[in-house]
Amino acid sequence: MKILPGHGSGGRLMNELIEKTIRTRLGAHVQLDDAALLSIDGPIAFTTDSFTITPIFFPGGDIGALAVNGTVNDLAVMGADPRYLSCALIIEEGMEMADLERILDSMRAAADAAGVAIVTGDTKVVPRGAADRIFINTSGIGIVKKTPARREISDGDAILINGHIGDHGMAIMAARNNLSFSKGLQSDCASLKGMIGAVLERHPGSVKFMRDATRGGVASVLNEIVAGRPYGAKLREPSLPIRDAVKGVCGILGIDALYAANEGKAVMVVDNDAAESIVSVLREHPEGKDACIIGVIDGTHPGKAYLETAIGGRRILPLLTEEQLPRIC
Amino acid sequence: MKILPGHGSGGRLMNELIEKTIRTRLGAHVQLDDAALLSIDGPIAFTTDSFTITPIFFPGGDIGALAVNGTVNDLAVMGADPRYLSCALIIEEGMEMADLERILDSMRAAADAAGVAIVTGDTKVVPRGAADRIFINTSGIGIVKKTPARREISDGDAILINGHIGDHGMAIMAARNNLSFSKGLQSDCASLKGMIGAVLERHPGSVKFMRDATRGGVASVLNEIVAGRPYGAKLREPSLPIRDAVKGVCGILGIDALYAANEGKAVMVVDNDAAESIVSVLREHPEGKDACIIGVIDGTHPGKAYLETAIGGRRILPLLTEEQLPRIC
């Protein structure tokens, strides 16, 4: 069965799609009114993200899981406890209903795993050629707990990551290019809510900055941290956790893994004193089992992110002008 | 200047687009972090809507104004005071930058008029042919004040609307079909926040249900109200405020104005005693100056919405199965 224009009308077909296909899958928290009514106490974080990735199914996930985890992680890195998501679908006419169902099931599973409720939504159907199968927007609300305060960053702070770099971007590129040797390479798409919550709970005050390294990868996050500041970010190349399969795909495609998208990785800047202890907390969680210190904040190259090789060579990691990996999320 | 793939990367071009084009236009409330931090007290309403309308510029508005007002109105009809919006853009490569700028200016003007702040956003650029120029998702948060309680609807309640029916849908169809005689026909795209707030303020308890009549029009909203209930919704045909230009376009295209989209009209079910007084309040606002009573809840045809003509004939207004007007919002 294929998606028809009527599935996006205000009529019976749309009501059936919402009731029988969407709501049964996304769960009873979906409120059918024009807006969901929610009880909230105190300050909140509010975010939005549209997902246009191709292919929509890939090793380690799909656009549905990505849409949930991406927004959950945007809230988590802001020090908020993610609670409520919206789900807005733009579907191309002719999409297989079975594919839509699979994506919705995946959204629900990801939402359940992250402990968030999908509470409101919207469904549009556009003609063939007016979209590429499906785009998903998720917006999210989280309750603010402890927010990392980036202004305190200073020389000597440690730069951490919770695991391997570039898995998502290279899994997508391998899938697009049918690179058979990359078998086993999977997106790292995952919720970081539990892991980040534990770090902020056990080390309040030690985390100065946190950001999930999605589009633009680790190098772009570091550029954001140091832009216009009196300090730089030095990564130690031998410390970088990059899988051989990722290096292989990067080599073939001429891509630097430090600019490749991740969907389950956060870059953290923390007090050097607390760094080892925070790594231990990260490693207690499946999403952080390969956590490590990858670099340090220092004043040698203010405003720059750069890489120091094993033999002491330095390579600047500039903010890219153009896109290295299109439609990666 | 045209939109390039790099405008959707995590790099310099995207940063420039966000800083120079988007943020300057949408206003300084846009927070650049992964999520906006907001102070909220008490229960909230949360909604989302994606806008895929074609054409993106039309008499009386554009996709930007529509995206702001549509979400503002979804919150307002739930009895919430709209406060914060997100703005997620999916832009087709090659779109004219000037068109994007015009749309953003329009969003800002609509947000200012409605008294809401755009606080967070996302920008994706997809290749030519993967989208149709621009899709905009706005999600919104409002503070809940008085919520209409639909369960109290009963025989004798009055059905109100705040002005002419079908203007948006027919303005769009006229623009698409170059119907020159429809000159002057404009979308009714507008924020209903002030008008609805005044009604709920001055007549707390008298409004039982409220819904903006967008996709599917007035007839679809009425079907939603009466579905499975022991009462029906009777519209009095001579009472329906429908412009001659709308009737003209409807006649030519074979469309029933009662199913045409509106973007500045709310259908209300209110206590009959208070109906005239509520109409007076509506008329104090520009969006409600042509407000009137268009029908009544009664038990003759339970579960049905229907029309009674001047000579007493009756016509059922079924819930349509398919789409009458594609890509109308």
Side-chain angles (χ1 to χ4, degrees), chain A residues 12 33-34 36 44 46-47 123 139 150 215 320, chain B residues 12 33-34 36 38 46-47 123 139 150 215 320:
Chain A
R12 192 179 305 274
D33 282 311
D34 276 332
I44 63 169
F46 177 37
T47 191
T123 305
S139 297
R150 101 173 57 172
R215 268 188 296 183
L320 294 187
Chain B
R12 193 179 307 274
D33 282 310
D34 276 332
L38 308 170
F46 177 37
T47 190
T123 305
S139 297
R150 102 172 57 171
R215 267 186 297 183
L320 293 188

mmCIF file with all atom_site columns, all heavy atoms in Angstrom, chain A residues 12 33-34 36 44 46-47 123 139 150 215 320, chain B residues 12 33-34 36 38 46-47 123 139 150 215 320:
data_model
loop_
_atom_site.group_PDB
_atom_site.id
_atom_site.type_symbol
_atom_site.label_atom_id
_atom_site.label_alt_id
_atom_site.label_comp_id
_atom_site.label_asym_id
_atom_site.label_entity_id
_atom_site.label_seq_id
_atom_site.pdbx_PDB_ins_code
_atom_site.Cartn_x
_atom_site.Cartn_y
_atom_site.Cartn_z
_atom_site.occupancy
_atom_site.B_iso_or_equiv
_atom_site.pdbx_formal_charge
_atom_site.auth_seq_id
_atom_site.auth_comp_id
_atom_site.auth_asym_id
_atom_site.auth_atom_id
_atom_site.pdbx_PDB_model_num
ATOM 1   N N   . ARG A 1 12  ? -11.020 11.808 5.805  1.00 0.00 ? 12  ARG A N   1
ATOM 2   C CA  . ARG A 1 12  ? -11.086 10.491 6.428  1.00 0.00 ? 12  ARG A CA  1
ATOM 3   C C   . ARG A 1 12  ? -9.773  9.709  6.300  1.00 0.00 ? 12  ARG A C   1
ATOM 4   O O   . ARG A 1 12  ? -9.317  9.078  7.246  1.00 0.00 ? 12  ARG A O   1
ATOM 5   C CB  . ARG A 1 12  ? -12.231 9.685  5.790  1.00 0.00 ? 12  ARG A CB  1
ATOM 6   C CG  . ARG A 1 12  ? -12.584 8.412  6.537  1.00 0.00 ? 12  ARG A CG  1
ATOM 7   C CD  . ARG A 1 12  ? -13.736 7.683  5.861  1.00 0.00 ? 12  ARG A CD  1
ATOM 8   N NE  . ARG A 1 12  ? -14.908 8.517  5.693  1.00 0.00 ? 12  ARG A NE  1
ATOM 9   C CZ  . ARG A 1 12  ? -15.860 8.688  6.616  1.00 0.00 ? 12  ARG A CZ  1
ATOM 10  N NH1 . ARG A 1 12  ? -15.760 8.075  7.770  1.00 0.00 ? 12  ARG A NH1 1
ATOM 11  N NH2 . ARG A 1 12  ? -16.898 9.453  6.377  1.00 0.00 ? 12  ARG A NH2 1
ATOM 12  N N   . ASP A 1 33  ? -5.469  16.930 19.717 1.00 0.00 ? 33  ASP A N   1
ATOM 13  C CA  . ASP A 1 33  ? -5.886  18.317 19.566 1.00 0.00 ? 33  ASP A CA  1
ATOM 14  C C   . ASP A 1 33  ? -4.850  19.121 18.797 1.00 0.00 ? 33  ASP A C   1
ATOM 15  O O   . ASP A 1 33  ? -3.821  18.605 18.388 1.00 0.00 ? 33  ASP A O   1
ATOM 16  C CB  . ASP A 1 33  ? -6.146  18.925 20.936 1.00 0.00 ? 33  ASP A CB  1
ATOM 17  C CG  . ASP A 1 33  ? -7.497  18.484 21.486 1.00 0.00 ? 33  ASP A CG  1
ATOM 18  O OD1 . ASP A 1 33  ? -8.486  18.588 20.746 1.00 0.00 ? 33  ASP A OD1 1
ATOM 19  O OD2 . ASP A 1 33  ? -7.544  18.024 22.635 1.00 0.00 ? 33  ASP A OD2 1
ATOM 20  N N   . ASP A 1 34  ? -5.145  20.406 18.638 1.00 0.00 ? 34  ASP A N   1
ATOM 21  C CA  . ASP A 1 34  ? -4.226  21.267 17.901 1.00 0.00 ? 34  ASP A CA  1
ATOM 22  C C   . ASP A 1 34  ? -2.886  21.405 18.596 1.00 0.00 ? 34  ASP A C   1
ATOM 23  O O   . ASP A 1 34  ? -1.885  21.732 17.976 1.00 0.00 ? 34  ASP A O   1
ATOM 24  C CB  . ASP A 1 34  ? -4.850  22.658 17.720 1.00 0.00 ? 34  ASP A CB  1
ATOM 25  C CG  . ASP A 1 34  ? -5.774  22.690 16.512 1.00 0.00 ? 34  ASP A CG  1
ATOM 26  O OD1 . ASP A 1 34  ? -5.539  21.919 15.577 1.00 0.00 ? 34  ASP A OD1 1
ATOM 27  O OD2 . ASP A 1 34  ? -6.722  23.480 16.515 1.00 0.00 ? 34  ASP A OD2 1
ATOM 28  N N   . ALA A 1 36  ? -0.597  19.851 22.294 1.00 0.00 ? 36  ALA A N   1
ATOM 29  C CA  . ALA A 1 36  ? -0.588  18.987 23.473 1.00 0.00 ? 36  ALA A CA  1
ATOM 30  C C   . ALA A 1 36  ? -0.530  19.856 24.717 1.00 0.00 ? 36  ALA A C   1
ATOM 31  O O   . ALA A 1 36  ? 0.196   20.849 24.747 1.00 0.00 ? 36  ALA A O   1
ATOM 32  C CB  . ALA A 1 36  ? 0.623   18.060 23.422 1.00 0.00 ? 36  ALA A CB  1
ATOM 33  N N   . ILE A 1 44  ? 12.643  25.615 30.936 1.00 0.00 ? 44  ILE A N   1
ATOM 34  C CA  . ILE A 1 44  ? 12.713  24.519 29.961 1.00 0.00 ? 44  ILE A CA  1
ATOM 35  C C   . ILE A 1 44  ? 13.730  24.841 28.874 1.00 0.00 ? 44  ILE A C   1
ATOM 36  O O   . ILE A 1 44  ? 14.146  25.989 28.693 1.00 0.00 ? 44  ILE A O   1
ATOM 37  C CB  . ILE A 1 44  ? 11.342  24.264 29.292 1.00 0.00 ? 44  ILE A CB  1
ATOM 38  C CG1 . ILE A 1 44  ? 10.884  25.499 28.484 1.00 0.00 ? 44  ILE A CG1 1
ATOM 39  C CG2 . ILE A 1 44  ? 10.301  23.872 30.313 1.00 0.00 ? 44  ILE A CG2 1
ATOM 40  C CD1 . ILE A 1 44  ? 9.688   25.231 27.608 1.00 0.00 ? 44  ILE A CD1 1
ATOM 41  N N   . PHE A 1 46  ? 14.092  24.223 24.661 1.00 0.00 ? 46  PHE A N   1
ATOM 42  C CA  . PHE A 1 46  ? 13.194  24.011 23.514 1.00 0.00 ? 46  PHE A CA  1
ATOM 43  C C   . PHE A 1 46  ? 14.070  23.960 22.271 1.00 0.00 ? 46  PHE A C   1
ATOM 44  O O   . PHE A 1 46  ? 14.909  24.844 22.069 1.00 0.00 ? 46  PHE A O   1
ATOM 45  C CB  . PHE A 1 46  ? 12.220  25.188 23.452 1.00 0.00 ? 46  PHE A CB  1
ATOM 46  C CG  . PHE A 1 46  ? 11.254  25.207 22.296 1.00 0.00 ? 46  PHE A CG  1
ATOM 47  C CD1 . PHE A 1 46  ? 10.689  24.041 21.796 1.00 0.00 ? 46  PHE A CD1 1
ATOM 48  C CD2 . PHE A 1 46  ? 10.889  26.414 21.711 1.00 0.00 ? 46  PHE A CD2 1
ATOM 49  C CE1 . PHE A 1 46  ? 9.784   24.080 20.743 1.00 0.00 ? 46  PHE A CE1 1
ATOM 50  C CE2 . PHE A 1 46  ? 9.977   26.470 20.659 1.00 0.00 ? 46  PHE A CE2 1
ATOM 51  C CZ  . PHE A 1 46  ? 9.427   25.294 20.177 1.00 0.00 ? 46  PHE A CZ  1
ATOM 52  N N   . THR A 1 47  ? 13.923  22.908 21.468 1.00 0.00 ? 47  THR A N   1
ATOM 53  C CA  . THR A 1 47  ? 14.779  22.771 20.293 1.00 0.00 ? 47  THR A CA  1
ATOM 54  C C   . THR A 1 47  ? 14.001  22.192 19.124 1.00 0.00 ? 47  THR A C   1
ATOM 55  O O   . THR A 1 47  ? 12.915  21.633 19.306 1.00 0.00 ? 47  THR A O   1
ATOM 56  C CB  . THR A 1 47  ? 16.000  21.877 20.612 1.00 0.00 ? 47  THR A CB  1
ATOM 57  O OG1 . THR A 1 47  ? 16.938  21.958 19.542 1.00 0.00 ? 47  THR A OG1 1
ATOM 58  C CG2 . THR A 1 47  ? 15.583  20.417 20.795 1.00 0.00 ? 47  THR A CG2 1
ATOM 59  N N   . THR A 1 123 ? 1.035   15.902 9.804  1.00 0.00 ? 123 THR A N   1
ATOM 60  C CA  . THR A 1 123 ? 1.320   15.052 8.657  1.00 0.00 ? 123 THR A CA  1
ATOM 61  C C   . THR A 1 123 ? 0.970   15.777 7.374  1.00 0.00 ? 123 THR A C   1
ATOM 62  O O   . THR A 1 123 ? -0.156  16.221 7.199  1.00 0.00 ? 123 THR A O   1
ATOM 63  C CB  . THR A 1 123 ? 0.494   13.742 8.735  1.00 0.00 ? 123 THR A CB  1
ATOM 64  O OG1 . THR A 1 123 ? 0.758   13.112 9.985  1.00 0.00 ? 123 THR A OG1 1
ATOM 65  C CG2 . THR A 1 123 ? 0.879   12.800 7.613  1.00 0.00 ? 123 THR A CG2 1
ATOM 66  N N   . SER A 1 139 ? 10.595  18.481 17.261 1.00 0.00 ? 139 SER A N   1
ATOM 67  C CA  . SER A 1 139 ? 10.936  19.539 18.196 1.00 0.00 ? 139 SER A CA  1
ATOM 68  C C   . SER A 1 139 ? 10.827  18.925 19.575 1.00 0.00 ? 139 SER A C   1
ATOM 69  O O   . SER A 1 139 ? 10.130  17.931 19.762 1.00 0.00 ? 139 SER A O   1
ATOM 70  C CB  . SER A 1 139 ? 9.998   20.731 18.038 1.00 0.00 ? 139 SER A CB  1
ATOM 71  O OG  . SER A 1 139 ? 10.146  21.277 16.735 1.00 0.00 ? 139 SER A OG  1
ATOM 72  N N   . ARG A 1 150 ? 29.604  27.699 29.331 1.00 0.00 ? 150 ARG A N   1
ATOM 73  C CA  . ARG A 1 150 ? 30.790  27.664 28.488 1.00 0.00 ? 150 ARG A CA  1
ATOM 74  C C   . ARG A 1 150 ? 31.773  28.799 28.743 1.00 0.00 ? 150 ARG A C   1
ATOM 75  O O   . ARG A 1 150 ? 32.925  28.714 28.396 1.00 0.00 ? 150 ARG A O   1
ATOM 76  C CB  . ARG A 1 150 ? 30.383  27.625 27.024 1.00 0.00 ? 150 ARG A CB  1
ATOM 77  C CG  . ARG A 1 150 ? 30.484  28.951 26.300 1.00 0.00 ? 150 ARG A CG  1
ATOM 78  C CD  . ARG A 1 150 ? 30.227  28.788 24.851 1.00 0.00 ? 150 ARG A CD  1
ATOM 79  N NE  . ARG A 1 150 ? 28.903  28.173 24.664 1.00 0.00 ? 150 ARG A NE  1
ATOM 80  C CZ  . ARG A 1 150 ? 28.342  28.046 23.476 1.00 0.00 ? 150 ARG A CZ  1
ATOM 81  N NH1 . ARG A 1 150 ? 28.978  28.406 22.401 1.00 0.00 ? 150 ARG A NH1 1
ATOM 82  N NH2 . ARG A 1 150 ? 27.141  27.523 23.353 1.00 0.00 ? 150 ARG A NH2 1
ATOM 83  N N   . ARG A 1 215 ? 26.284  17.311 12.264 1.00 0.00 ? 215 ARG A N   1
ATOM 84  C CA  . ARG A 1 215 ? 26.787  17.930 11.023 1.00 0.00 ? 215 ARG A CA  1
ATOM 85  C C   . ARG A 1 215 ? 28.084  18.677 11.271 1.00 0.00 ? 215 ARG A C   1
ATOM 86  O O   . ARG A 1 215 ? 28.135  19.498 12.171 1.00 0.00 ? 215 ARG A O   1
ATOM 87  C CB  . ARG A 1 215 ? 25.773  18.946 10.497 1.00 0.00 ? 215 ARG A CB  1
ATOM 88  C CG  . ARG A 1 215 ? 24.798  18.419 9.517  1.00 0.00 ? 215 ARG A CG  1
ATOM 89  C CD  . ARG A 1 215 ? 23.962  19.548 8.917  1.00 0.00 ? 215 ARG A CD  1
ATOM 90  N NE  . ARG A 1 215 ? 23.114  20.235 9.918  1.00 0.00 ? 215 ARG A NE  1
ATOM 91  C CZ  . ARG A 1 215 ? 22.259  21.208 9.643  1.00 0.00 ? 215 ARG A CZ  1
ATOM 92  N NH1 . ARG A 1 215 ? 22.141  21.633 8.386  1.00 0.00 ? 215 ARG A NH1 1
ATOM 93  N NH2 . ARG A 1 215 ? 21.528  21.767 10.576 1.00 0.00 ? 215 ARG A NH2 1
ATOM 94  N N   . LEU A 1 320 ? 35.073  24.510 8.011  1.00 0.00 ? 320 LEU A N   1
ATOM 95  C CA  . LEU A 1 320 ? 34.872  24.320 6.573  1.00 0.00 ? 320 LEU A CA  1
ATOM 96  C C   . LEU A 1 320 ? 33.899  25.365 6.030  1.00 0.00 ? 320 LEU A C   1
ATOM 97  O O   . LEU A 1 320 ? 32.987  25.804 6.721  1.00 0.00 ? 320 LEU A O   1
ATOM 98  C CB  . LEU A 1 320 ? 34.321  22.926 6.290  1.00 0.00 ? 320 LEU A CB  1
ATOM 99  C CG  . LEU A 1 320 ? 35.241  21.751 6.610  1.00 0.00 ? 320 LEU A CG  1
ATOM 100 C CD1 . LEU A 1 320 ? 34.612  20.453 6.099  1.00 0.00 ? 320 LEU A CD1 1
ATOM 101 C CD2 . LEU A 1 320 ? 36.624  21.924 5.997  1.00 0.00 ? 320 LEU A CD2 1
ATOM 102 N N   . ARG B 1 12  ? 31.218  27.226 7.463  1.00 0.00 ? 12  ARG B N   1
ATOM 103 C CA  . ARG B 1 12  ? 31.193  28.677 7.458  1.00 0.00 ? 12  ARG B CA  1
ATOM 104 C C   . ARG B 1 12  ? 29.994  29.255 6.717  1.00 0.00 ? 12  ARG B C   1
ATOM 105 O O   . ARG B 1 12  ? 29.361  30.209 7.169  1.00 0.00 ? 12  ARG B O   1
ATOM 106 C CB  . ARG B 1 12  ? 32.496  29.204 6.828  1.00 0.00 ? 12  ARG B CB  1
ATOM 107 C CG  . ARG B 1 12  ? 32.732  30.686 7.036  1.00 0.00 ? 12  ARG B CG  1
ATOM 108 C CD  . ARG B 1 12  ? 34.045  31.142 6.416  1.00 0.00 ? 12  ARG B CD  1
ATOM 109 N NE  . ARG B 1 12  ? 35.188  30.356 6.856  1.00 0.00 ? 12  ARG B NE  1
ATOM 110 C CZ  . ARG B 1 12  ? 35.881  30.599 7.971  1.00 0.00 ? 12  ARG B CZ  1
ATOM 111 N NH1 . ARG B 1 12  ? 35.546  31.597 8.743  1.00 0.00 ? 12  ARG B NH1 1
ATOM 112 N NH2 . ARG B 1 12  ? 36.906  29.843 8.290  1.00 0.00 ? 12  ARG B NH2 1
ATOM 113 N N   . ASP B 1 33  ? 22.377  28.160 20.552 1.00 0.00 ? 33  ASP B N   1
ATOM 114 C CA  . ASP B 1 33  ? 22.749  26.866 21.103 1.00 0.00 ? 33  ASP B CA  1
ATOM 115 C C   . ASP B 1 33  ? 21.871  25.759 20.537 1.00 0.00 ? 33  ASP B C   1
ATOM 116 O O   . ASP B 1 33  ? 20.991  26.005 19.727 1.00 0.00 ? 33  ASP B O   1
ATOM 117 C CB  . ASP B 1 33  ? 22.650  26.922 22.633 1.00 0.00 ? 33  ASP B CB  1
ATOM 118 C CG  . ASP B 1 33  ? 23.862  27.629 23.238 1.00 0.00 ? 33  ASP B CG  1
ATOM 119 O OD1 . ASP B 1 33  ? 24.991  27.259 22.885 1.00 0.00 ? 33  ASP B OD1 1
ATOM 120 O OD2 . ASP B 1 33  ? 23.664  28.550 24.041 1.00 0.00 ? 33  ASP B OD2 1
ATOM 121 N N   . ASP B 1 34  ? 22.147  24.544 21.003 1.00 0.00 ? 34  ASP B N   1
ATOM 122 C CA  . ASP B 1 34  ? 21.377  23.405 20.519 1.00 0.00 ? 34  ASP B CA  1
ATOM 123 C C   . ASP B 1 34  ? 19.904  23.507 20.879 1.00 0.00 ? 34  ASP B C   1
ATOM 124 O O   . ASP B 1 34  ? 19.055  22.899 20.247 1.00 0.00 ? 34  ASP B O   1
ATOM 125 C CB  . ASP B 1 34  ? 21.962  22.115 21.102 1.00 0.00 ? 34  ASP B CB  1
ATOM 126 C CG  . ASP B 1 34  ? 23.137  21.618 20.268 1.00 0.00 ? 34  ASP B CG  1
ATOM 127 O OD1 . ASP B 1 34  ? 23.156  21.896 19.059 1.00 0.00 ? 34  ASP B OD1 1
ATOM 128 O OD2 . ASP B 1 34  ? 24.021  20.953 20.819 1.00 0.00 ? 34  ASP B OD2 1
ATOM 129 N N   . ALA B 1 36  ? 16.923  26.375 22.945 1.00 0.00 ? 36  ALA B N   1
ATOM 130 C CA  . ALA B 1 36  ? 16.687  27.658 23.612 1.00 0.00 ? 36  ALA B CA  1
ATOM 131 C C   . ALA B 1 36  ? 16.296  27.392 25.045 1.00 0.00 ? 36  ALA B C   1
ATOM 132 O O   . ALA B 1 36  ? 15.539  26.464 25.336 1.00 0.00 ? 36  ALA B O   1
ATOM 133 C CB  . ALA B 1 36  ? 15.563  28.404 22.902 1.00 0.00 ? 36  ALA B CB  1
ATOM 134 N N   . LEU B 1 38  ? 14.284  28.640 28.256 1.00 0.00 ? 38  LEU B N   1
ATOM 135 C CA  . LEU B 1 38  ? 13.115  29.489 28.455 1.00 0.00 ? 38  LEU B CA  1
ATOM 136 C C   . LEU B 1 38  ? 12.605  29.384 29.877 1.00 0.00 ? 38  LEU B C   1
ATOM 137 O O   . LEU B 1 38  ? 12.607  28.299 30.465 1.00 0.00 ? 38  LEU B O   1
ATOM 138 C CB  . LEU B 1 38  ? 11.995  29.051 27.503 1.00 0.00 ? 38  LEU B CB  1
ATOM 139 C CG  . LEU B 1 38  ? 12.363  28.941 26.019 1.00 0.00 ? 38  LEU B CG  1
ATOM 140 C CD1 . LEU B 1 38  ? 11.237  28.269 25.256 1.00 0.00 ? 38  LEU B CD1 1
ATOM 141 C CD2 . LEU B 1 38  ? 12.657  30.305 25.442 1.00 0.00 ? 38  LEU B CD2 1
ATOM 142 N N   . PHE B 1 46  ? 1.887   22.671 23.529 1.00 0.00 ? 46  PHE B N   1
ATOM 143 C CA  . PHE B 1 46  ? 3.024   22.418 22.649 1.00 0.00 ? 46  PHE B CA  1
ATOM 144 C C   . PHE B 1 46  ? 2.449   21.900 21.337 1.00 0.00 ? 46  PHE B C   1
ATOM 145 O O   . PHE B 1 46  ? 1.653   20.964 21.337 1.00 0.00 ? 46  PHE B O   1
ATOM 146 C CB  . PHE B 1 46  ? 3.927   21.380 23.316 1.00 0.00 ? 46  PHE B CB  1
ATOM 147 C CG  . PHE B 1 46  ? 5.126   20.931 22.518 1.00 0.00 ? 46  PHE B CG  1
ATOM 148 C CD1 . PHE B 1 46  ? 5.839   21.801 21.709 1.00 0.00 ? 46  PHE B CD1 1
ATOM 149 C CD2 . PHE B 1 46  ? 5.563   19.608 22.614 1.00 0.00 ? 46  PHE B CD2 1
ATOM 150 C CE1 . PHE B 1 46  ? 6.960   21.362 21.001 1.00 0.00 ? 46  PHE B CE1 1
ATOM 151 C CE2 . PHE B 1 46  ? 6.681   19.167 21.920 1.00 0.00 ? 46  PHE B CE2 1
ATOM 152 C CZ  . PHE B 1 46  ? 7.375   20.046 21.104 1.00 0.00 ? 46  PHE B CZ  1
ATOM 153 N N   . THR B 1 47  ? 2.836   22.509 20.221 1.00 0.00 ? 47  THR B N   1
ATOM 154 C CA  . THR B 1 47  ? 2.281   22.098 18.941 1.00 0.00 ? 47  THR B CA  1
ATOM 155 C C   . THR B 1 47  ? 3.322   22.170 17.846 1.00 0.00 ? 47  THR B C   1
ATOM 156 O O   . THR B 1 47  ? 4.364   22.816 18.002 1.00 0.00 ? 47  THR B O   1
ATOM 157 C CB  . THR B 1 47  ? 1.065   22.978 18.577 1.00 0.00 ? 47  THR B CB  1
ATOM 158 O OG1 . THR B 1 47  ? 0.393   22.413 17.431 1.00 0.00 ? 47  THR B OG1 1
ATOM 159 C CG2 . THR B 1 47  ? 1.499   24.406 18.206 1.00 0.00 ? 47  THR B CG2 1
ATOM 160 N N   . THR B 1 123 ? 18.372  24.588 9.946  1.00 0.00 ? 123 THR B N   1
ATOM 161 C CA  . THR B 1 123 ? 18.400  24.850 8.511  1.00 0.00 ? 123 THR B CA  1
ATOM 162 C C   . THR B 1 123 ? 18.991  23.657 7.790  1.00 0.00 ? 123 THR B C   1
ATOM 163 O O   . THR B 1 123 ? 20.103  23.237 8.087  1.00 0.00 ? 123 THR B O   1
ATOM 164 C CB  . THR B 1 123 ? 19.248  26.101 8.214  1.00 0.00 ? 123 THR B CB  1
ATOM 165 O OG1 . THR B 1 123 ? 18.741  27.192 8.988  1.00 0.00 ? 123 THR B OG1 1
ATOM 166 C CG2 . THR B 1 123 ? 19.183  26.474 6.743  1.00 0.00 ? 123 THR B CG2 1
ATOM 167 N N   . SER B 1 139 ? 7.248   24.904 15.396 1.00 0.00 ? 139 SER B N   1
ATOM 168 C CA  . SER B 1 139 ? 6.650   24.321 16.591 1.00 0.00 ? 139 SER B CA  1
ATOM 169 C C   . SER B 1 139 ? 6.475   25.469 17.565 1.00 0.00 ? 139 SER B C   1
ATOM 170 O O   . SER B 1 139 ? 7.168   26.479 17.471 1.00 0.00 ? 139 SER B O   1
ATOM 171 C CB  . SER B 1 139 ? 7.547   23.232 17.164 1.00 0.00 ? 139 SER B CB  1
ATOM 172 O OG  . SER B 1 139 ? 7.672   22.184 16.219 1.00 0.00 ? 139 SER B OG  1
ATOM 173 N N   . ARG B 1 150 ? -14.459 20.675 25.597 1.00 0.00 ? 150 ARG B N   1
ATOM 174 C CA  . ARG B 1 150 ? -15.429 20.293 24.569 1.00 0.00 ? 150 ARG B CA  1
ATOM 175 C C   . ARG B 1 150 ? -16.504 19.330 25.051 1.00 0.00 ? 150 ARG B C   1
ATOM 176 O O   . ARG B 1 150 ? -17.542 19.218 24.443 1.00 0.00 ? 150 ARG B O   1
ATOM 177 C CB  . ARG B 1 150 ? -14.694 19.740 23.356 1.00 0.00 ? 150 ARG B CB  1
ATOM 178 C CG  . ARG B 1 150 ? -14.698 18.235 23.254 1.00 0.00 ? 150 ARG B CG  1
ATOM 179 C CD  . ARG B 1 150 ? -14.137 17.796 21.982 1.00 0.00 ? 150 ARG B CD  1
ATOM 180 N NE  . ARG B 1 150 ? -12.774 18.319 21.823 1.00 0.00 ? 150 ARG B NE  1
ATOM 181 C CZ  . ARG B 1 150 ? -11.960 17.950 20.853 1.00 0.00 ? 150 ARG B CZ  1
ATOM 182 N NH1 . ARG B 1 150 ? -12.374 17.098 19.952 1.00 0.00 ? 150 ARG B NH1 1
ATOM 183 N NH2 . ARG B 1 150 ? -10.745 18.415 20.769 1.00 0.00 ? 150 ARG B NH2 1
ATOM 184 N N   . ARG B 1 215 ? -6.771  23.032 6.956  1.00 0.00 ? 215 ARG B N   1
ATOM 185 C CA  . ARG B 1 215 ? -7.007  21.925 6.012  1.00 0.00 ? 215 ARG B CA  1
ATOM 186 C C   . ARG B 1 215 ? -8.367  21.282 6.259  1.00 0.00 ? 215 ARG B C   1
ATOM 187 O O   . ARG B 1 215 ? -8.672  20.917 7.376  1.00 0.00 ? 215 ARG B O   1
ATOM 188 C CB  . ARG B 1 215 ? -5.951  20.816 6.208  1.00 0.00 ? 215 ARG B CB  1
ATOM 189 C CG  . ARG B 1 215 ? -4.772  20.918 5.337  1.00 0.00 ? 215 ARG B CG  1
ATOM 190 C CD  . ARG B 1 215 ? -3.888  19.693 5.509  1.00 0.00 ? 215 ARG B CD  1
ATOM 191 N NE  . ARG B 1 215 ? -3.336  19.552 6.869  1.00 0.00 ? 215 ARG B NE  1
ATOM 192 C CZ  . ARG B 1 215 ? -2.492  18.595 7.233  1.00 0.00 ? 215 ARG B CZ  1
ATOM 193 N NH1 . ARG B 1 215 ? -2.120  17.674 6.347  1.00 0.00 ? 215 ARG B NH1 1
ATOM 194 N NH2 . ARG B 1 215 ? -2.020  18.536 8.456  1.00 0.00 ? 215 ARG B NH2 1
ATOM 195 N N   . LEU B 1 320 ? -14.762 14.259 4.260  1.00 0.00 ? 320 LEU B N   1
ATOM 196 C CA  . LEU B 1 320 ? -14.232 13.839 2.963  1.00 0.00 ? 320 LEU B CA  1
ATOM 197 C C   . LEU B 1 320 ? -13.219 12.711 3.146  1.00 0.00 ? 320 LEU B C   1
ATOM 198 O O   . LEU B 1 320 ? -12.504 12.647 4.137  1.00 0.00 ? 320 LEU B O   1
ATOM 199 C CB  . LEU B 1 320 ? -13.554 15.006 2.252  1.00 0.00 ? 320 LEU B CB  1
ATOM 200 C CG  . LEU B 1 320 ? -14.450 16.158 1.806  1.00 0.00 ? 320 LEU B CG  1
ATOM 201 C CD1 . LEU B 1 320 ? -13.649 17.129 0.944  1.00 0.00 ? 320 LEU B CD1 1
ATOM 202 C CD2 . LEU B 1 320 ? -15.657 15.643 1.028  1.00 0.00 ? 320 LEU B CD2 1
#
